[in-house]
Amino acid sequence: MHIQKRALLAAGLIAGAAALTGCTAQTKPVTTPTPMAMQQQTAQPATAQPETAQPSPQATISVSEAPDSDESPAPLKLLVGGDEADTGAIEEQDELLLPLIETAEKLGWKAEDERSGEETQEKRVITLEKDDSRITVSWTVSDNTAKNISWQKDGLLIPVDARLTTLDDVVYVPAAFFEEAMEVSVANQQTNVIVSTPKPSDTPKLTEDSSGENG
């Protein structure tokens, strides 16, 4: 009787152990890292995922949107004495400029252009002659900048601000230069610039005093 109870108790213990073994077999064992392994894991640097490079704001600006500093002003049609000049007038900084040599030649002046000096600093003199009058326009060019501008007529300074601009080797001077030095009138009609000489006025004849009274 006692032997049967011990056999049944042993069988129950074996069955319970088998059940516990089956449960633990279905679950994965959890591996507890050792302190040395944890140190090795923390010592390795974390690799960050590469991010997509974002374009900078400047990279999105196209070349065509950049301002063009080399753009030349649009020429205006120039009529001198009723004839159209090959080179037109221009407006720069709200001032009307006319081609010096072309306009002068249309007005009957003979032009002579002289250059001297080196490439780094060049001196240029334009001489205009008509009848007994002589106009000289002289300046020096250094670093693509006109300096020491001077113009005279018959040895006297022309009372106009000395300013000139060179575009494509064409020299432009203010319209006031022609009005003062050559006694012409310049009219700016938006798209056309008209240069005309004043009409000769009739000189009144002097009448002799028939009374013969002197003072």
Side-chain angles (χ1 to χ4, degrees), residues 9-199:
L9 180 60
L13 292 175
I14 293 172
L20 291 175
T21 305
C23 294
T24 56
Q26 294 178 359
T27 60
K28 294 182 180 180
V30 178
T31 303
T32 303
T34 62
M36 183 176 295
M38 293 178 64
Q39 292 179 359
Q40 292 178 355
Q41 291 177 359
T42 56
Q44 295 179 356
T47 57
Q49 296 294 331
E51 297 181 357
T52 305
Q54 298 295 330
S56 60
Q58 294 180 354
T60 59
I61 300 176
S62 61
V63 178
S64 60
E65 292 178 354
D68 188 4
S69 59
D70 297 335
E71 185 178 356
S72 301
L76 304 174
K77 185 177 180 181
L78 178 61
L79 299 174
V80 182
D83 296 331
E84 182 177 357
D86 295 333
T87 305
I90 62 174
E91 284 186 328
E92 187 178 75
Q93 298 178 359
D94 297 331
E95 186 173 11
L96 181 63
L97 305 177
L98 308 182
L100 175 60
I101 295 179
E102 287 77 2
T103 305
E105 289 179 341
K106 285 288 185 179
L107 293 172
W109 293 75
K110 181 181 178 181
E112 183 178 355
D113 191 352
E114 297 180 358
R115 307 186 189 193
S116 61
E118 302 176 355
E119 293 181 357
T120 57
Q121 185 171 357
E122 181 185 54
K123 183 177 182 180
R124 189 170 178 181
V125 179
I126 296 179
T127 304
L128 307 173
E129 294 182 347
K130 181 180 180 181
D131 300 332
D132 296 331
S133 296
R134 178 185 178 92
I135 298 174
T136 58
V137 179
S138 62
W139 71 98
T140 57
V141 179
S142 178
D143 296 332
N144 295 326
T145 304
K147 302 178 181 179
N148 303 323
I149 304 172
S150 175
W151 42 47
Q152 299 180 1
K153 179 179 181 180
D154 299 332
L156 300 177
L157 293 176
I158 301 174
V160 177
D161 291 339
R163 177 192 173 189
L164 57 83
T165 298
T166 303
L167 296 175
D168 297 330
D169 206 33
V170 177
V171 180
Y172 294 84
V173 297
F177 169 87
F178 295 95
E179 293 176 332
E180 187 68 30
M182 300 182 182
E183 299 178 355
V184 298
S185 60
V186 180
N188 187 0
Q189 300 180 351
Q190 295 182 351
T191 57
N192 296 338
V193 177
I194 300 176
V195 179
S196 57
T197 57
K199 296 180 180 180

